[in-house]
């Protein structure tokens, strides 16, 4: 199965055709159009400071979008990813400020919680065969209730603050929440690039990548040829949880406080970025690079609308339009790709 899948993706169908069937092609075209539009309208947008400004939201979104893209290629969804970023941030800040934990140790505790949630999601999905949409929706609601209930019980409010005074804060912030020297570019951008490179290597150069495409394309056929489908899907859910921990830690260290409602609603943005980047909702097709480009489009639109002085409500319209256009483009690309393989 491994060699067969690799041969199919690396078949010599000509350079132009290989380019046209790349899942991230539509996202690249979209990114160029969006950048050209805003850069032409705003000098600030195309300045170094402006680029640093719109790469900031793209970075944290991109980390999550890459992980969600892997999961979607594997044929599953995770609606708890957004609220889990808030959960891990709350664990970090609560342990460091209320119980005297060193920030680094509190981060490890948050990671353990995140991986446990990811493992539970994957195990329930693979053992019960329930749709991951339903399973992770249940997890979303439980985490939302826990975040709010525990935070209120401990602080009497819906926020935990004061991380700046905790031991180990400065060193942890330099690694996860600071900037690259005096450039104005956030360290999160480097984590985003690393996540994209690693995910792309896994998808295109490793046996695990073949397994991900296989279980997303046809799980029963994949099982029949020996692909460890259950282990692959559990690992994908845990990867998404790891990304949620990373993003939650980055944001907590940056702002030194976390709201109980943090991350709620972001799961849809992650999915939209992955779909804009070429992932199919049916699984078995997509790209980590494409998901990152989808995040860039999000970042450019998010800040570009502000730079132009438009009403922020237009951003939702933009997201909806991009989702519809990307879905149609992905469908056309997929059909063309299937014709090329015949």
């Amino acid at each position: 199965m491994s060699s067969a899948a690799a041969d199919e993706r690396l078949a010599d169908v000509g350079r132009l055709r290989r380019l046209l069937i790349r899942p991230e092609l539509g996202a690249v075209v979209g990114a160029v159009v969006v950048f050209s539009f805003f850069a032409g309208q705003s000098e600030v947008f195309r300045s170094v400071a402006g680029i640093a400004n719109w790469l900031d939201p793209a970075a944290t979104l991109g980390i999550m979008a890459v992980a969600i893209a892997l999961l979607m290629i594997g044929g599953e969804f995770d609606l708890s990813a957004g609220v889990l970023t808030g959960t891990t941030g709350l664990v970090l800040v609560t342990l460091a400020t209320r119980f005297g934990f060193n920030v680094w140790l509190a981060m490890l505790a948050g990671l353990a919680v995140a991986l446990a949630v990811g493992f539970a999601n994957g195990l329930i999905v693979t053992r019960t065969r329930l749709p991951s949409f339903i399973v992770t929706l249940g997890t979303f609601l439980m985490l939302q209730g826990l975040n709010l209930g525990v935070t209120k019980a401990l602080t009497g409010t819906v926020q935990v603050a004061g991380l700046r005074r905790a031991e180990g804060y400065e060193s942890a912030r330099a690694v996860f929440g600071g900037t690259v020297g005096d450039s104005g570019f956030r360290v999160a951008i480097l984590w985003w690039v690393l996540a994209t490179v690693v995910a792309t290597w896994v998808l295109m150069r490793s046996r695990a990548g073949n397994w991900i495409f296989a279980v997303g394309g046809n799980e029963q056929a994949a099982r029949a040829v020996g692909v460890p489908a259950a282990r692959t899907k559990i690992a994908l859910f845990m990867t998404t949880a790891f990304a949620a921990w990373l993003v939650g830690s980055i944001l907590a260290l940056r702002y030194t406080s976390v709201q109980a409602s943090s991350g709620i609603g972001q799961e849809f943005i992650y999915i939209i970025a992955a779909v804009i980047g070429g992932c199919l909702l049916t699984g078995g097709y997509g790209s980590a690079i494409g998901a990152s480009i989808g995040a860039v489009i999000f970042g450019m639109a998010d800040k570009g609308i502000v730079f132009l002085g438009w009403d922020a409500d237009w951003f939702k319209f933009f997201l909806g339009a991009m989702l519809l256009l990307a879905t149609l483009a992905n469908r056309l690309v997929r059909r063309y790709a299937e014709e090329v393989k015949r």
Side-chain angles (χ1 to χ4, degrees):
M1 182 64 197
S2 174
S3 60
D7 288 343
E8 181 179 285
R9 281 181 279 141
L10 299 176
D12 184 13
V13 293
R15 289 185 179 181
L16 179 59
R17 286 186 173 182
R18 280 203 300 270
L19 176 63
L20 291 176
I21 64 175
R22 290 299 304 169
E24 62 270 13
L25 176 63
V28 172
V29 174
V32 171
V33 171
V34 172
F35 177 82
S36 299
F37 173 77
F38 285 113
Q41 299 290 320
S42 170
E43 184 177 343
V44 176
F45 180 87
R46 61 180 184 268
S47 69
V48 173
I51 292 173
N53 199 282
W54 52 257
L55 280 182
D56 181 24
T60 49
L61 170 60
I63 292 169
M64 286 304 308
V66 165
I68 291 295
L70 294 179
L71 185 62
M72 289 179 65
I73 293 170
E76 304 294 348
F77 293 93
D78 189 350
L79 296 183
S80 67
V83 72
L84 187 55
T85 64
T87 300
T88 55
L90 286 169
V91 170
L92 164 58
V93 180
T94 300
L95 291 179
T97 61
R98 295 280 164 171
F99 298 96
F101 279 53
N102 181 285
V103 169
W104 290 98
L105 186 59
M107 287 179 64
L108 287 177
L111 175 59
V113 170
L115 293 179
V117 171
F119 178 80
N121 280 338
L123 188 66
I124 294 171
V125 168
T126 55
R127 290 290 179 87
T128 66
R129 303 296 176 88
L130 288 172
S132 56
F133 180 92
I134 298 299
V135 172
T136 58
L137 179 59
T139 305
F140 163 83
L141 293 172
M142 288 188 289
L143 289 177
Q144 183 180 10
L146 277 174
N147 290 356
L148 187 59
V150 173
T151 303
K152 277 189 172 182
L154 290 175
T155 68
T157 67
V158 293
Q159 181 185 48
V160 183
L163 185 60
R164 190 181 302 276
R165 297 187 298 271
E167 181 183 357
Y169 167 75
E170 291 298 337
S171 58
R173 186 180 188 278
V175 175
F176 294 99
T179 57
V180 182
D182 298 324
S183 64
F185 290 87
R186 294 281 187 176
V187 173
I189 297 172
L190 300 180
W191 286 106
W192 170 33
V193 172
L194 178 62
T196 305
V197 170
V198 171
T200 300
W201 181 86
V202 168
L203 283 176
M204 304 309 299
R205 300 295 181 184
S206 73
R207 178 181 296 180
N210 290 329
W211 291 347
I212 293 169
F213 279 105
V215 298
N218 190 323
E219 183 176 348
Q220 295 304 317
R223 289 179 184 275
V225 295
V227 172
R231 279 190 295 161
T232 299
K233 292 197 173 190
I234 290 173
L236 289 172
F237 277 105
M238 293 181 73
T239 298
T240 302
F242 177 86
W245 165 79
L246 179 56
V247 170
S249 298
I250 288 171
L251 295 178
L253 289 164
R254 182 182 300 179
Y255 300 118
T256 71
S257 65
V258 181
Q259 295 279 346
S261 60
S262 293
I264 295 175
Q266 288 298 301
E267 57 280 343
F268 296 110
I269 304 297
Y270 305 151
I271 292 172
I272 290 171
V275 171
I276 289 174
C279 290
L280 294 180
L281 297 178
T282 52
Y285 189 78
S287 160
I289 294 175
S292 278
I293 298 173
V296 171
I297 293 174
F298 170 93
M300 288 192 294
D302 183 34
K303 298 302 180 182
I305 287 173
V306 174
F307 290 155
L308 295 184
W310 294 359
D311 191 314
D313 291 339
W314 283 105
F315 179 64
K316 298 296 184 181
F317 174 84
F318 173 84
L319 278 185
M322 286 299 299
L323 177 62
L324 289 175
L325 290 173
T327 303
L328 291 172
N330 293 346
R331 186 177 182 182
L332 293 174
V333 169
R334 183 60 175 168
R335 284 182 177 177
Y336 182 76
E338 289 173 349
E339 291 176 359
V340 168
K341 291 175 183 177
R342 291 183 184 136

